[in-house]
Structure formats: C-alpha cells, structure tokens
Amino acid sequence: MPELPEVESVRRSLLPYLPGRVIEEAVVHHSKVLIFPTPQEFVECLRGARFERLERRGKLLIFQLPPGVLLVHLGMTGQITFRDPGRADTPFERHPHTGLERTLQHPLDQHTHISLHFSDGCALLYRDIRKFGKWRLIRRDNPRLQNELARVGTDPLTEDWQFEPFFQAVTRSDRAIKAIILDQQVSAGVGNIYADEALFVAGIRPEVRGKKLSRPRLKKLFKAIPEVLQKGLKYGGTSFSDYVDADGKKGTNQESLLVYGRYGQPCYQCRQTLLRTTVAQRTSTWCKVCQKA
DNA sequence: ACCTCGACCTGGGCGC
DNA sequence: TGCGCCCAGGTCGAGG
C-alpha cells in the first residue's frame, strides 16, 4: 500500500494530534505485527510516554517518544488512524467526482492489532489486514536503533537526493532500472506505483539495465522521481483499496496516475495501448512508444 | 552480487 | 451462491 507520499500524508495528518500527548495505556490486541520487544515490555515501556516528534525516512515512520523510538512500517495494508470519540463520526462520504466511499475513524475490528490510548479518551489505532506491517520499539541508547535506521537509504524529498551518488548507484549495476529504484538504499520510499510513474515520465522502459543508461536519461529520471512523489503527496496519496490517513481520509492521486493501473488503456501522450510485464517480480505498466529501451 | 521463487497474510474481483 | 483462481502500495530468506 503505502509508499512515500502515503506515509508522509499519514505523518502530516497525525501532527495536529500527537506532539505533547501522553500515552495512558498501550494495548497489543494481536502481536503478529510487533517485532520487538515483547508485548509485555512494549506496554510497560509506553505507559506514560510522551510523543515528542514524528519523523519519516522513506516508508518508515519514526515516533520519538523518550526514552524510546518507535519505528513503524505500514507494509501493504497498514493504517494508523486517530480516534476521537468526541468528534462526530461520519460513516462514509462520497467523493464528488469518483463516487469513492471514504470511511472516517475505522472501527476497532479483528484487524486492529495495536491501540495507544490517551487520558482524554482519544486513541491511536493500528489496523493492518495483511499483517505485513512492522512495529519496533527501541530504546534510544540501543545500538540496534542505528542499524534499523541505516537500512533506509536516501529519501528523494530531502537535500540528500543528489545526482552523482544516484548516477553511480545506477550505472554500477546490471539490474533492471526498476529494481534499482525500488531498492530502498537507492531511493527510499519509492514503491511499485511511483516507480512506474517515474519511469514513464523519464521515458525509460522498466527492464533496461542500469549500466546501459546515459547520463542525460538518468538526469531525467533523477528529476522525475521526486516530481511524481511530490505530485502524489499533493493529492494526499494514492488510494486503491486500503490507504487512508490519520483522519481516515483516502487520497485522490489514483485519479491522476499516468500509467500505474492503466494496463490496456491508451497512453495519455500517444494513445498507444499500455503494456504490462513483470519486472523485478512486480507488475509493471509502461508505454512502448513513450518509453525507450 | 544478482536473480527467481516462495513465504508471509487477507480480501476483492472474476469466470465458471 | 459458491468455489477456485489471480491479483494487490512490501520485504525477507533460501537456493542457484
């Protein structure tokens, strides 16, 4: 589900609620998504903890709540929502153009694995249908924390996104370019949707080997990656089925995607029918006219 | 170092 | 209505 724009939308939508708030009680309903510590230690460590900051690197949410740091990866279907029992709940709203239904404040159901409760009755709920998401609570002085953070590479929406390191990483590799930009060390936060979008914008076929790509073509891709991510963010993320922000709102970027999910439909640029192949074990949609080998 | 495959999970959509 | 199959925003480990 969530790639950088979705995770960042979740982060931003949580900001009005979290900083300064103190956890009264943490509840682990199903421990599958909790990697460490044990549920007992998790609950004990979080009782009385105060949210300080909420950061993000790539697809990783970083909750600073001393003495610990909570790392959350949403996997494919993870949802973090803020529940306020005092707020009027709207069971659904119809999107004016698409008719898409949007649900606010998801219920505590069998897919809700973790809840963090505050003294005023509000709560942070974690729901994850497929249970691919992961929660890790690590003390700040634990060296494991740096190991976990080091697994995430350069985030394309930061000033660390520089052309030379990107160029080196790509041209050093014989892998398909799509596999390279899906590599979280190379471009942290890019997933299947935005990889296809960026490759289309740059006019590069997904299966082209990294070392075959010229400097000018990679310059285009280097620019396209943050562009498509920014666009996704502008529309509040891409919601095909599960993605919602902290208020339960879906994004609308699915309406402006250029290629992802448009297999068999005409390319917006040349009207050629879009193709679908498997690259890097992921379904890839692309245009044989607009994207060159 | 890289590829492919299967695993981890649940649910929705489709064809029969 | 129901069953079986395929698909899905992600990652990880095994084996070649």
Side-chain angles (χ1 to χ4, degrees):
Chain A
M1 162 178 91
E3 306 180 32
L4 190 155
E6 292 75 38
V7 178
E8 177 63 12
S9 297
V10 170
R11 191 189 75 85
R12 291 184 184 182
S13 59
L14 280 171
L15 284 182
Y17 303 119
L18 286 195
R21 221 173 252 273
V22 176
I23 298 173
E24 191 175 68
E25 192 190 7
V27 182
V28 179
H29 307 273
H30 309 284
S31 58
K32 174 76 177 62
V33 297
L34 181 64
I35 303 306
F36 50 73
T38 64
Q40 292 74 15
E41 291 170 293
F42 180 83
V43 165
E44 282 163 27
C45 183
L46 286 189
R47 189 176 293 125
R50 174 190 297 269
F51 280 103
E52 209 173 62
R53 293 191 310 283
L54 174 53
E55 297 152 0
R56 179 193 57 76
R57 268 179 73 177
K59 300 173 190 169
L60 196 63
L61 282 169
I62 305 168
F63 295 86
Q64 298 281 356
L65 59 179
V69 176
L70 176 62
L71 304 179
V72 176
H73 194 297
L74 299 174
M76 291 274 264
T77 53
Q79 305 170 324
I80 294 182
T81 52
F82 187 81
R83 186 171 188 83
D84 179 353
R87 191 174 63 184
D89 200 1
T90 316
F92 66 86
E93 272 178 26
R94 294 251 168 220
H95 189 279
H97 304 301
T98 62
L100 280 176
E101 194 177 277
R102 75 188 209 185
T103 316
L104 302 181
Q105 301 201 47
H106 73 65
L108 260 152
D109 60 8
Q110 76 271 29
H111 300 301
T112 308
H113 308 303
I114 295 176
S115 51
L116 307 180
H117 300 269
F118 307 109
S119 55
D120 59 0
C122 293
L124 197 70
L125 304 183
Y126 181 66
R127 185 170 183 268
D128 184 359
I129 294 173
R130 293 177 73 179
K131 305 191 189 89
F132 289 169
K134 291 176 175 54
W135 281 48
R136 299 174 157 90
L137 178 63
I138 313 175
R139 292 194 165 269
R140 280 182 171 175
D141 53 10
N142 187 336
R144 190 171 204 165
L145 178 60
Q146 293 316 314
N147 295 345
E148 292 292 330
L149 291 175
R151 297 163 61 94
V152 186
T154 311
D155 186 308
L157 294 191
T158 66
E159 59 208 25
D160 296 337
W161 186 244
Q162 297 288 332
F163 181 67
E164 282 311 320
F166 175 74
F167 180 78
Q168 294 302 328
V170 173
T171 52
R172 202 187 310 133
S173 173
D174 201 27
R175 302 151 79 191
I177 183 60
K178 176 153 175 182
I180 299 174
I181 61 174
L182 283 173
D183 185 334
Q184 298 301 294
Q185 281 294 330
V186 176
S187 40
V190 172
N192 206 29
I193 294 178
Y194 298 98
D196 276 6
E197 294 295 295
L199 288 168
F200 175 78
V201 170
I204 299 171
R205 293 191 186 178
E207 76 278 11
V208 182
R209 307 287 121 180
K211 59 173 59 164
K212 301 271 185 194
L213 285 161
S214 67
R215 184 170 274 268
R217 297 188 78 194
L218 283 177
K219 200 104 193 179
K220 280 183 88 170
L221 182 58
F222 173 78
K223 279 185 61 186
I225 288 172
E227 258 173 42
V228 298
L229 295 173
Q230 282 290 2
K231 183 178 156 205
L233 187 52
K234 181 177 135 194
Y235 290 107
T238 303
S239 294
F240 272 106
S241 54
D242 302 295
Y243 163 69
V244 291
D245 71 10
D247 295 311
K249 288 192 281 195
K250 288 177 182 280
T252 59
N253 193 237
Q254 60 278 10
E255 295 161 36
S256 37
L257 293 176
L258 302 173
V259 286
Y260 182 90
R262 299 196 59 248
Y263 158 70
Q265 297 176 44
C267 172
Y268 288 133
Q269 275 180 35
C270 73
R271 312 314 295 171
Q272 181 70 227
T273 302
L274 295 175
L275 302 176
R276 180 173 65 179
T277 55
T278 298
V279 181
Q281 287 76 247
R282 310 297 296 276
T283 298
S284 307
T285 307
W286 52 283
C287 173
K288 68 175 178 186
V289 176
C290 299
Q291 293 170 259
K292 314 284 187 205

